[in-house]
Amino acid sequence: DYKGQKLAEQIFQGIILVSAVIGFIYGYITEQFGWTVYIVMAGFALSCLLTLPPWPMYRRNPLKWLPVQDSGTEEKKAADRKPKRHSKS
């Protein structure tokens, strides 16, 4: 559903943003760029774990689909059509 997709996107962006800020601050204090990268990668892994699987919290508002139509009506419509003739130049 669209509300679940919006929630997943907000969670993903929030975790990435928070981990980037924390990583930058921690890396700046320790003067180690590697820690910044590790913290951002950990935030990315956490956000993927929380947003990629189809958790029930993302499926609370299912979409209503149209009912399935018989395939026989499609064959009948295709038979009613006249083939197009191409003119020779």
Side-chain angles (χ1 to χ4, degrees), residues 9-29:
E9 182 70 22
Q10 289 173 341
I11 290 171
F12 183 79
Q13 289 179 357
I15 291 173
I16 294 293
L17 180 66
V18 169
S19 68
V21 169
I22 291 172
F24 179 77
I25 292 170
Y26 187 76
Y28 185 77
I29 291 171

Side-chain angles (χ1 to χ4, degrees), residues 1-7 55-65:
D1 64 56
Y2 295 116
K3 290 181 182 179
Q5 288 178 1
K6 183 178 179 182
L7 177 63
W55 298 108
M57 65 181 172
Y58 302 129
R59 297 184 286 149
R60 291 185 180 166
N61 304 305
L63 298 175
K64 295 180 182 177
W65 296 90

Side-chain angles (χ1 to χ4, degrees), residues 32-33 60:
Q32 293 288 324
F33 182 71
R60 291 185 180 166

Side-chain angles (χ1 to χ4, degrees), residues 45-85:
L46 177 65
S47 64
C48 286
L49 180 68
L50 291 176
T51 58
L52 289 180
W55 298 108
M57 65 181 172
Y58 302 129
R59 297 184 286 149
R60 291 185 180 166
N61 304 305
L63 298 175
K64 295 180 182 177
W65 296 90
L66 293 175
V68 177
Q69 295 179 353
D70 294 336
S71 62
T73 58
E74 292 175 9
E75 292 173 5
K76 184 185 281 186
K77 288 180 182 178
D80 292 341
R81 294 185 197 142
K82 294 181 181 178
K84 293 182 180 180
R85 295 186 181 200

